Each structure stands twice: as structure tokens, then as C-alpha cells.
Amino acid sequence: MVKRFEMGVSGASSSPGYEGILGSLAACSSQSNAFAWSDYIHLVDNKLRDSIPDYQYSRDLMRLSPAALTGAMDCLYLVQQLRESRKILISNAMGSITFVIWAHYILGLNVLITTKVSSTIAFGDEHDPHVLIVWSDLTPYAASLYPVSSRKEHDLQPSIQLLDEDMSVILDLAPDSERWGDITVETRFPLLGYGATYLHRMFNADIITKDLDPIYEESVKLIIAIAIWVSRRVDRNIDIYITSPGNEVISLPSPQRIISIEIWRILASAKIIFSNMFSAADTPTINSYVEHLSQGPLDETSLPSVCTSFLKKVPIKRRHSSPGKRYIFHLRCLASMVLVFSFVPEIENCSGLPLREVEHVEHGFQHAFHKACKDLGERLRLKHDTIFCEIGNYLSRHKIPENVFLYCDFGWSVYFDTFGDRDPTQVKPQLAHVRKGVPTNRKTMERKMFICDSHMTPSPLSGWRDVRKDDRQLIRGREYVPRSSATASRTDFWSTGAQAFQYAMYFRVNPKQEWREHGCEPFQAFSYCCNMQNKLWETFTTAPCDHSLSDLKGPVKLGMDAAVALGWINDESKIEQVTERFLIFLTKGEPGVRWLAAGASVWLGRECRAVESQTHPEVRVREVMLRTEDCCDSCALEQTAAVPGNHYWILIL
């Protein structure tokens, strides 16, 4: 915009500033995401591939230089208005795919590409072209390992000329050697068929591989097999560190929290990612590959014959990396993608999710996944936000800020499973939801790219005290009656920040009479999505039992190693006095109470510690078990007691 203003273009204005441009671009990306850019890229790319020998796709075919962008903004408009008397001549192939889509498929202009080998490539009427592109080979630049700024950027940039009906030059926009800038391109493709596009480009990088070549189908089977194989070794990554009475940092053992991923979720993910290359009939072969991988990791010597036969035809271009090693690396990258999107429940509704071309490097999740692929004994450990961040990485190159539980870009949103008004036992923190839409204030129509935990505490509601007494009553004996010690109502509070909407859950807790008799009065409490995502990540949930819950209405037996607390305890000094191995919080039938009890329990489990003995400090950490609706209280106690290890527990029943 500044350049057009400096050139004196009619109607041009000075820059609106960084924030103004950023806001406009964000609005454009979210409102124009439905435009099928990837479909048009495929159309142009396939036509160029069929017409030009030794054609290779390069990002430079999508990238516009500053001069080309300025020229396109002005010249394309003039040509569209004066079709019979104006033409555009572009000197080389840089940005040619973008020019074809912009000029032909959006503006309806005729585009003609001239090459040294073939005569012409026409998009529209070749006898009446409006845009002429002189094709040149950009492969030497595309294959360079050096960054853009160190290449001969000035030589790579095209010049744009506006011509009259006699082909005389009216306006010549040459590359600006002093101020060419650093414009990069970010090609996006929909989730539907993303993997197919990835494989097609990979197999055509060094040689021409036809669409019916068996290497495609064989690769998809291997990728799915790798994803299933690794999915059997996935855990929640939980590191428990506390400070001993002697101020020594202690790492505490914690029961293994295995993440079970159903195979049908992995197959559903692969079906979307590979589209037509996926075939459900290949399941027996996939299962046999999984069995083979369980005996040893995949390497060049264990590849199927179809793969080894294909790799023999691929030229060796890198001294330290054979075609087989590169092939296996890419298989693992796509397998990691299949596994990541298997955690999205609504994957079938995400076909149009616009994903960017991710540069797969072995760090973070990718490093952990590749490590699990190479070592049979290695388990893939996920943090509470790993899947959320990985999907965000495919959606945008920007880092997700802290305390954000919903992230949006290009008109699509990704958010935690903790976002919503549900019982905490219905939340599966390993899942990440993806849906089309942008967070919007319905009253003001203001939009934000993030929703985060609120940093401000709402004012107390009138008539409710923010004080609780700590003399809770513990019930010890042979039995107890399942019930809730309080009721809770929930209110969602929203506020607007500079970059994000802020959200908090506000609870008004009304203790029942038996809790009131032991000193507890009505109080208020707050909860937050990111905070609860982190806490629920550390909890256990019960498995379904075979009992009919409607018939189980009587008392539940209570062993001598268990105690029941009215409500819940949020004071570490109080819980240290509970010597029983199992401590039960009564929250049955009250989602709001269970939500608050779960948050308090996880915090207590990490803070409580035993009194220092004469010989050494003994640290007692309580794990948290949430009873689900399809499990009775008795079975919940039995399942908790059966967990390996001599752990102390808080049960939210």
C-alpha cells in the first residue's frame, strides 16, 4: 500500500498501520476460507505437469514478489475493465499458479503461458489472451538449501508490463532491488485428501509416478499400520514434583495412565486424510503389518516388496540420506498426523479444514513419535495440550498463547473437551474438538481469534458469602449412603480483552443441612477451562460395571481403610490428618459440585504430605478417581483398590 501511495496511483492511501492491516487480513482469512484454493491449485498444477516435461512443483510458483503484487493489484483491474485494449506480460514463472487462479478463475480473464518446449498452455481462449506469462525454470532456486534472502532474489522476481492493443508498453513494473522485501507463500490444502496430496508430491519429486502406481496404496497401508502400532503405547505425561519438608525437590511415582485409542478412530482419520487412496478392504493387510511392526521397527530391509521395487528407481541425490530412509521418515510423519486427528471426535465434519504445509522436523511431539517408531520399548507420552497444539500447528504457524483453550484461524476453531457445561466424568481431556466458525460476540459482532481463561475475578453475587469453615465432618464406619452434600448453580462470565475473549465459570454452592451443621455456609467458587484441562489430565475414571444402577439405591459398604467427607476438602493441612487410604467426596448427581471437587482434589493430591518422621520425610500423594455414570459406587471402590501400587486416593462419587 505504501508503494502504491509513493507511486502516486490514483485512489491510493497511506498505510493504515500494522494493527489495521493485521485485522483486515484476519477478517479476510476467516471469511474467505470457503474459497477452494486447493482445488484450483490442483487444476493448474496438473495442467502444467501434463504440458511441461520435467515439471516440478515449487512454492515459488505460488509466491508473488512485491513488484508482482503491486502490478497485479492495479493492472488486473485495468485489464478487466478494458479487455479489448489492455494486456499484461509477466516475464517469468514466479507466481504463475497464483496469477492463473487470480486472473482466470476469479476474474474470468484468459491466460496464456508460453514455454520453450511446448508451444502454449491456455487457460481460457488462447486466441484472445489477456495475461501472457513467459515460462522459465525455477528449479535451481526451488532446490536451494539456502534461505530466500541469500538467493539471487532480484533475478528470480518477474517484471510486469501493461500493454495496449498494439503490444506497446504503457507501464513497466520492474523488480525493486532496494526494497523487494521477504514475501513467502503458505499453501493450504483441505484435510480431505491432504495425505494424498503429500504422497503425490513426494513420489513425483525425483521421478514421474503415475496415479495408479501401487506405491500409493501400499504407503497408505504402512502409514495406518504405524499409527495403530504406536497408538498401543500412548500414555498421559504426568510429572509430579513436590518439595519435601527439608526443601528438597522430589520426583514422585504415579500410576500409569494409558490412553486407549479405538482403531475405528484411526481408520476414520486415515479415511479423511487419504480420501480416495484409502480402502477399508485393506484392513487384513494393515493388521498383518501391525503384527510385523510389533516384532521390530520399520527399516529399509523390512519394507514390502512394492516399496523396495519403487525405491530402486529413485535417484540418490543426498550423500547421507538414502531414498529408503527419507521414505520411512515421511511415512512416520504422515502416521503422526493420522494419530493426531484420530483424537478429533467430529473428524467426518472437518473435510474442509484448511491445513498448511507443515515442515516436519523432529522436535516436540514429532520427536517423541519418531522415537516411539524406532524403539519398541518407548512409549509416546502426551501432555495435556499436546493434541490441541499439534492441530493448531497444522492450522497456523503462530504459537498458541498460554491459558488459551480455543484457537481460531482461517474460519476454523480448535478447543479443549473441557469447554462446555458437562459433568467432569463426561470430559475426555485427550480429545480436541474442531469445528467451523469464529468466536463472535453476538451483541457487538466483535470477533477474536482466541478464548482464554479469565484473568479477572468477577464480583461476588449478592447474598452469598465467600467464607468457608474448615471443620468438615468425616464419616467412618461400615457403610454410607451415596448422595451429594451440596447443590451448585453455574454462571458463565465473559469479558473482552485486546486479543481474546476471556471466560470463567462461576459457581454458587449451597451446602445441604448435614454439611451446614458442621460449619459450612453458602459460598462461591470459580473454575477455568485451561486449569481444569490440566487437572483432569491427572485424574482416573472408572470403567463401566455390569450392575443395573437403577436397582442400587441402598447403602454402600465402607471398609476400615476408607472414610467419607461431606462436600470436599481444599485445605492440605486438613487432608493430612486423614490416615485412611481412600477418601470419598459425596457429590452424586451434582455436576457443578463434582466439577469443583475434582479441581480441588487434584490440587490437594499434589500438595498433601505426611508429617516428617524421625528417620526421613514420608510423602503421601493422593491420586484422584472420578466415578462415571455407568459405574456403581461399590465397583468404583473395587476398581480403585485394584490399581497397581500402594497409592492413596480421593474418590469423587
Side-chain angles (χ1 to χ4, degrees):
M1 296 180 68
V2 172
K3 196 171 185 65
R4 296 174 74 249
F5 181 75
E6 293 175 349
M7 293 171 59
V9 176
S10 177
S13 59
S14 59
S15 171
Y18 176 80
E19 293 294 336
I21 294 176
L22 185 64
S24 298
L25 292 177
C28 290
S29 67
S30 62
Q31 297 176 16
S32 62
N33 70 87
F35 183 76
W37 274 102
S38 60
D39 293 341
Y40 292 113
I41 292 173
H42 283 306
L43 286 175
V44 179
D45 183 58
N46 290 337
K47 191 165 187 176
L48 294 175
R49 190 180 304 279
D50 294 338
S51 305
I52 303 175
D54 300 326
Y55 168 83
Q56 287 188 8
Y57 172 82
S58 165
R59 289 189 180 184
D60 286 325
L61 296 176
M62 296 289 302
R63 187 163 64 96
L64 298 181
S65 66
L69 180 61
T70 304
M73 291 170 63
D74 294 320
C75 297
L76 285 175
Y77 172 77
L78 294 174
V79 173
Q80 188 183 30
Q81 299 299 315
L82 305 170
R83 294 179 178 232
E84 297 180 356
S85 59
R86 295 292 183 268
K87 298 181 186 296
I88 296 176
L89 176 63
I90 303 171
S91 64
N92 67 34
M94 180 179 177
S96 56
I97 293 181
T98 302
F99 276 121
V100 171
I101 296 174
W102 192 347
H104 178 66
Y105 291 104
I106 297 179
L107 301 180
L109 302 176
N110 300 323
V111 179
L112 191 66
I113 299 177
T114 60
T115 68
K116 297 179 180 179
V117 180
S118 59
S119 54
T120 57
I121 305 170
F123 295 86
D125 186 0
E126 63 177 331
H127 301 293
D128 184 25
H130 303 109
V131 179
L132 301 169
I133 301 176
V134 179
W135 185 264
S136 59
D137 187 13
L138 299 178
T139 303
Y141 298 103
S144 174
L145 298 177
Y146 297 98
V148 175
S149 59
S150 65
R151 300 192 224 159
K152 297 180 179 179
E153 178 67 29
H154 182 263
D155 297 335
L156 185 61
Q157 293 185 70
S159 62
I160 295 183
Q161 295 178 332
L162 181 65
L163 312 176
D164 61 14
E165 64 270 21
D166 297 325
M167 303 299 287
S168 299
V169 177
I170 300 176
L171 179 64
D172 188 356
L173 295 172
D176 190 342
S177 59
E178 296 181 357
R179 190 178 161 188
W180 58 268
D182 184 10
I183 297 181
T184 58
V185 63
E186 186 174 79
T187 308
R188 290 181 176 268
F189 296 98
L191 180 62
L192 180 64
Y194 183 97
T197 302
Y198 188 110
L199 290 177
H200 191 271
R201 290 190 173 178
M202 181 178 73
F203 291 135
N204 286 273
D206 299 313
I207 61 175
I208 297 177
T209 307
K210 296 182 179 180
D211 293 344
L212 298 179
D213 194 296
I215 187 63
Y216 291 105
E217 183 177 348
E218 197 69 21
S219 299
V220 172
K221 290 185 286 188
L222 277 172
I223 290 167
I224 298 174
I226 294 173
I228 294 175
W229 175 54
V230 175
S231 72
R232 297 176 177 177
R233 295 177 285 125
V234 181
D235 298 329
R236 296 186 188 180
N237 186 3
I238 299 174
D239 296 319
I240 305 175
Y241 297 98
I242 66 172
T243 304
S244 70
N247 292 324
E248 179 184 358
V249 178
I250 302 175
S251 175
L252 301 178
S254 179
Q256 186 180 40
R257 293 164 174 82
I258 299 175
I259 299 178
S260 299
I261 309 169
E262 299 88 342
I263 292 181
W264 66 265
R265 291 187 183 274
I266 297 176
L267 295 177
S269 174
K271 184 178 181 180
I272 294 293
I273 292 174
F274 294 104
S275 188
N276 295 333
M277 289 185 184
F278 174 85
S279 175
D282 292 330
T283 303
T285 305
I286 293 172
N287 292 336
S288 67
Y289 286 170
V290 173
E291 182 64 26
H292 181 82
L293 289 171
S294 64
Q295 301 173 9
L298 185 67
D299 56 27
E300 293 180 87
T301 62
S302 59
L303 286 170
S305 57
V306 172
C307 303
T308 55
S309 176
F310 172 82
L311 293 172
K312 290 179 181 179
K313 298 181 291 184
V314 179
I316 300 176
K317 293 185 176 181
R318 300 179 184 177
R319 179 180 303 177
H320 302 292
S321 180
S322 66
K325 289 182 179 179
R326 297 198 306 272
Y327 172 66
I328 293 174
F329 173 80
H330 288 294
L331 292 184
R332 290 170 177 166
C333 291
L334 286 173
S336 71
M337 181 182 185
V338 171
L339 184 62
V340 165
F341 281 93
S342 67
F343 288 98
V344 178
E346 53 279 287
I347 185 69
E348 295 181 354
N349 300 326
C350 300
S351 299
L353 180 66
L355 304 181
R356 66 190 188 93
E357 289 183 287
V358 176
E359 295 181 0
H360 292 280
V361 291
E362 290 196 38
H363 67 82
F365 172 78
Q366 290 293 334
H367 174 74
F369 187 89
H370 283 262
K371 191 175 180 180
C373 289
K374 299 173 184 178
D375 187 351
L376 293 176
E378 186 71 22
R379 300 190 66 85
L380 181 62
R381 305 183 68 197
L382 305 180
K383 294 183 178 180
H384 71 281
D385 60 351
T386 298
I387 300 300
F388 174 74
C389 292
E390 279 300 306
I391 296 176
N393 183 44
Y394 280 103
L395 188 60
S396 174
R397 64 171 59 251
H398 302 294
K399 184 179 180 181
I400 300 177
E402 293 184 2
N403 295 323
V404 166
F405 61 85
L406 185 149
Y407 174 77
C408 176
D409 202 0
F410 279 81
W412 288 76
S413 297
V414 185
Y415 56 95
F416 287 143
D417 197 44
T418 49
F419 183 37
D421 188 5
R422 294 179 295 166
D423 189 287
T425 59
Q426 297 175 342
V427 174
K428 296 183 178 180
Q430 68 269 25
L431 300 182
H433 294 273
V434 179
R435 61 179 295 182
K436 193 173 184 178
V438 181
T440 305
N441 186 326
R442 294 182 179 180
K443 294 182 179 180
T444 64
M445 300 309 294
E446 183 180 10
R447 296 185 172 195
K448 299 291 183 181
M449 295 295 102
F450 309 106
I451 302 181
C452 65
D453 286 349
S454 176
H455 298 290
M456 298 181 64
T457 302
S459 300
L461 299 180
S462 60
W464 291 82
R465 298 182 60 187
D466 193 20
V467 178
R468 281 178 286 172
K469 296 183 179 180
D470 289 323
D471 51 341
R472 274 47 169 199
Q473 174 69 22
L474 287 179
I475 301 175
R476 294 181 172 95
R478 295 181 177 273
E479 61 183 21
Y480 74 97
V481 177
R483 60 192 184 276
S484 178
S485 304
T487 60
S489 61
R490 167 176 165 170
T491 303
D492 292 342
F493 277 85
W494 293 90
S495 59
T496 302
Q499 301 294 331
F501 292 124
Q502 298 177 357
Y503 173 72
M505 293 168 279
Y506 188 76
F507 294 91
R508 296 186 300 181
V509 182
N510 187 14
K512 292 184 178 180
Q513 184 61 34
E514 60 178 344
W515 199 7
R516 288 174 181 258
E517 291 176 356
H518 293 88
C520 186
E521 300 179 5
F523 61 92
Q524 63 183 7
F526 303 93
S527 186
Y528 309 93
C529 278
C530 280
N531 181 271
M532 283 303 299
Q533 171 74 13
N534 200 347
K535 289 180 177 178
L536 290 180
W537 192 251
E538 299 187 21
T539 63
F540 292 82
T541 54
T542 58
C545 70
D546 298 328
H547 298 113
S548 176
L549 302 184
S550 59
D551 298 335
L552 300 176
K553 299 181 180 179
V556 176
K557 293 183 179 180
L558 192 66
M560 64 178 62
D561 58 349
V564 177
L566 296 177
W568 65 92
I569 301 174
N570 60 357
D571 188 330
E572 61 182 275
S573 62
K574 296 295 182 181
I575 203 170
E576 286 176 2
Q577 301 173 13
V578 181
T579 59
E580 285 82 0
R581 183 183 175 196
F582 303 101
L583 176 61
I584 299 171
F585 291 166
L586 296 177
T587 63
K588 187 173 183 178
E590 287 290 335
V593 175
R594 293 168 65 79
W595 195 267
L596 294 173
S601 300
V602 174
W603 178 80
L604 278 172
R606 300 298 163 257
E607 294 296 328
C608 64
R609 60 181 64 90
V611 179
E612 183 176 2
S613 65
Q614 296 180 356
T615 56
H616 63 277
E618 179 186 353
V619 180
R620 180 188 301 149
V621 174
R622 289 188 180 270
E623 304 292 344
V624 180
M625 176 71 78
L626 298 174
R627 183 189 65 82
T628 55
E629 295 180 354
D630 51 7
C631 180
C632 66
D633 286 52
S634 297
C635 291
L637 278 167
E638 292 178 3
Q639 292 181 26
T640 306
V643 176
N646 188 26
H647 299 280
Y648 284 73
W649 292 88
I650 295 175
L651 284 83
I652 300 177
L653 304 180

